[in-house]
Amino acid sequence: MTVLGIVAEYNPFHNGHLYHLRKSIQIIKPDYTIAIMSGHFTQRGEPALLDKWTRTSMALENGVDIVLELPVIYACQTAELFAFGGVELLNKTGVVTHMSFGSETEDMDILQKIANILAEEPLEFKEFLKDELINGVSFPVARYKAIIKYMKINNMDISDTSIKNILNSPNSILAIEYLKALKKTDSQIKPVTFKRIKAQYHSTSLQKGISSATAIRNEIYKSGLSNMVENTLPYSSLIILENAIISGKGPLKAEAFDSLILGLLRRTPADEMANWMDVEEGLQNRIKKCSILARDLKDFLQKSKTKRYTYTRLQRILTNGILNITSEKIEKFGKTGGPQYIRILGFNKKATPLIRQIQNCSSIPVINKAAHYSRFNNKALEDMFHFDVLATDIYALACPNPEYRIGGWDFKKNPVIL
């Protein structure tokens, strides 16, 4: 049996996602497709446009067979941790044979060579990276320069321009992290990539047909379901989105958390902030100072941003702060083997046989109902699951309709069944 795995956010599920899914199915010809999807906070540190069950419905309506939740511990972190969490979850299902992801390049050979360097971390590379970081450049720039130097001394015939273009392309960076995670976990899953078409990941301009999720969200925040938005979504996604907006489930904006975040930053001692995931020594003092001077979240990000500390990194830190995700906790979860459970958010009825097979083959517990999480006598599982529950409860506070702001939705919602 051939089972395709995809790691995604579907925020929202748009024409680009549909292209990726159909192209993957065309190339791999799987019997089933599983999507590992972020829950209520995304890899960029932002709240999702719509709740995880609504986005699950979009995925199922457009052809995904099973949607599993990527625990927020991994969903709202660096590309490295995000990719590791997704890949390891696919590994632990025990059924996935192939993994598909888009990239700005189709050259798997170059992607694999870079991924191997980052996975193996040879001594020369580590020294080059250390030297660049001492010079004060950001980690992405230091890594790029270190890779260039390492490839040159090892006579790898890849141009500086090619490497620079790859490491400046968000989807290629994520592709490399997926390949690195597959290698480091000794995975038997076969990776497949193909070139991303039309809109770039960070593009903020809408195009008819395929646009970036960023551009689509910005247009929704600005003009609602305009004709421009309609042209970028599959019909089923559009209908689901329209119903969610009418009912007041969304769209959620990061600005809705302004007071909560600034209040948290002003209340929290700097030495406590230093424990939050991804806070380097000294950054907590900058965060504390800017939180006092900031008028709102946007103002805080503008005041605290530097070349070293990007908007995205700061947003992730803020989400880690809200959820009290510390470096120590991430490290502990890493030592226990990564994701501790498979949480089913939804499935197509025809995939019921595959769910049974996952239950038989998985190396970790499979959770259909949230209330069952405490049955497994696993402290790491319970701690990880508590973060997902907290993420939902915090997320709910920003719903436009007050009826959805109550807590406990994880224990009230059953998996979506199509």
Side-chain angles (χ1 to χ4, degrees):
M1 182 171 64
T2 302
V3 179
L4 166 65
I6 295 172
V7 180
E9 293 186 322
Y10 296 149
N11 189 35
F13 191 107
H14 55 65
N15 288 337
H17 294 130
L18 185 60
Y19 168 80
H20 172 247
L21 178 61
R22 288 178 173 175
K23 184 77 170 177
S24 301
I25 292 173
Q26 177 188 344
I27 294 172
I28 298 169
K29 298 179 174 57
D31 297 289
Y32 297 102
T33 300
I34 295 174
I36 307 293
M37 190 186 77
S38 302
H40 285 130
F41 290 89
T42 69
Q43 201 264 327
R44 296 177 66 176
E46 299 173 331
L49 182 80
L50 300 166
D51 69 80
K52 58 191 180 187
W53 296 283
T54 300
R55 288 163 32 243
T56 293
S57 295
M58 288 181 173
L60 296 176
E61 287 285 353
N62 284 286
V64 174
D65 293 310
I66 300 175
V67 179
L68 307 178
E69 181 172 6
L70 178 62
V72 71
I73 278 290
Y74 297 104
C76 190
Q77 303 301 337
T78 62
E80 180 180 30
L81 283 170
F82 177 89
F84 167 76
V87 166
E88 189 66 337
L89 208 50
L90 291 176
N91 287 334
K92 289 181 175 180
T93 64
V95 301
V96 175
T97 59
H98 293 70
M99 178 182 185
S100 169
F101 44 83
S103 174
E104 285 81 4
T105 177
E106 289 182 297
D107 195 329
M108 180 67 86
D109 183 57
I110 294 180
L111 294 173
Q112 193 69 68
K113 284 179 178 178
I114 296 174
N116 288 344
I117 294 171
L118 296 178
E120 296 166 4
E121 293 187 306
L123 181 60
E124 298 101 319
F125 168 74
K126 288 167 69 173
E127 290 296 327
F128 291 146
L129 181 62
K130 181 180 177 181
D131 291 343
E132 293 297 338
L133 289 171
I134 289 174
N135 291 333
V137 300
S138 66
F139 182 81
V141 172
R143 184 173 65 172
Y144 155 67
K145 291 185 175 182
I147 289 171
I148 292 288
K149 290 180 179 179
Y150 179 81
M151 286 187 163
K152 282 184 176 179
I153 68 168
N154 286 277
N155 299 315
M156 294 185 182
D157 189 21
I158 304 173
S159 71
D160 293 7
T161 301
S162 295
I163 298 172
K164 184 176 182 179
N165 288 341
I166 288 171
L167 294 178
N168 281 333
S169 305
N171 286 279
S172 292
I173 291 172
L174 200 49
I176 289 167
E177 293 297 343
Y178 288 139
L179 293 171
K180 186 174 82 173
L182 288 168
K183 183 177 180 65
K184 294 187 80 168
T185 59
D186 196 25
S187 177
Q188 299 303 304
I189 295 173
K190 181 179 179 181
V192 176
T193 190
F194 47 87
K195 193 169 184 179
R196 183 183 176 94
I197 62 172
K198 295 189 179 181
Q200 297 302 305
Y201 180 80
H202 289 303
S203 173
T204 56
S205 60
L206 279 183
Q207 305 173 41
K208 187 174 182 179
I210 295 179
S211 290
S212 74
T214 301
I216 294 169
R217 290 193 301 271
N218 287 345
E219 177 65 16
I220 291 171
Y221 293 143
K222 178 183 175 183
S223 306
L225 295 184
S226 64
N227 289 335
M228 296 176 69
V229 170
E230 292 179 6
N231 289 329
T232 66
L233 301 176
Y235 181 72
S236 57
S237 290
L238 180 64
I239 296 302
I240 291 169
L241 175 58
E242 183 177 34
N243 289 336
I245 291 175
I246 290 172
S247 67
K249 289 183 178 179
L252 262 71
K253 301 180 181 179
E255 290 81 359
F257 295 97
D258 276 9
S259 296
L260 174 64
I261 291 174
L262 286 181
L264 174 70
L265 296 179
R266 293 178 182 183
R267 179 195 65 79
T268 306
D271 59 350
E272 186 177 324
M273 286 183 194
N275 297 321
W276 293 350
M277 182 59 188
D278 214 18
V279 175
E280 292 181 351
E281 185 177 355
L283 177 56
Q284 69 272 21
N285 297 319
R286 183 177 184 83
I287 291 174
K288 189 70 177 179
K289 177 181 177 181
C290 292
S291 72
I292 300 299
L293 300 174
R295 300 173 182 83
D296 51 34
L297 181 56
K298 182 178 180 180
D299 191 32
F300 166 80
L301 292 172
Q302 289 173 339
K303 283 180 165 63
S304 54
K305 178 185 177 295
T306 66
K307 284 186 178 181
R308 191 178 185 90
Y309 306 124
T310 63
Y311 281 126
T312 299
R313 180 174 177 180
L314 290 166
Q315 286 174 164
R316 283 198 296 263
I317 288 171
L318 296 180
T319 300
N320 285 325
I322 291 174
L323 300 177
N324 196 28
I325 297 175
T326 64
S327 300
E328 180 184 10
K329 289 171 184 174
I330 293 287
E331 186 178 347
K332 283 184 178 179
F333 288 130
K335 289 179 179 178
T336 58
Q340 297 292 302
Y341 50 85
I342 292 173
R343 169 83 183 276
I344 298 175
L345 290 178
F347 60 94
N348 190 309
K349 287 181 181 177
K350 74 181 181 69
T352 302
L354 182 61
I355 289 180
R356 294 196 192 101
Q357 187 165 349
I358 292 173
Q359 290 170 332
N360 291 331
C361 297
S362 172
S363 59
I364 52 177
V366 178
I367 298 177
N368 279 312
K369 292 187 177 181
H372 296 170
Y373 82 98
S374 60
R375 294 181 174 181
F376 304 102
N377 193 29
N378 181 330
K379 182 64 164 55
L381 183 156
E382 292 182 13
D383 289 347
M384 187 175 289
F385 197 82
H386 285 163
F387 281 115
D388 287 345
V389 173
L390 177 60
T392 298
D393 289 347
I394 295 294
Y395 179 89
L397 293 172
C399 285
N401 184 343
E403 293 298 317
Y404 294 112
R405 294 178 194 164
I406 60 174
W409 283 110
D410 277 296
F411 300 99
K412 299 182 177 78
K413 298 282 290 187
N414 292 320
V416 178
I417 303 175
L418 185 62

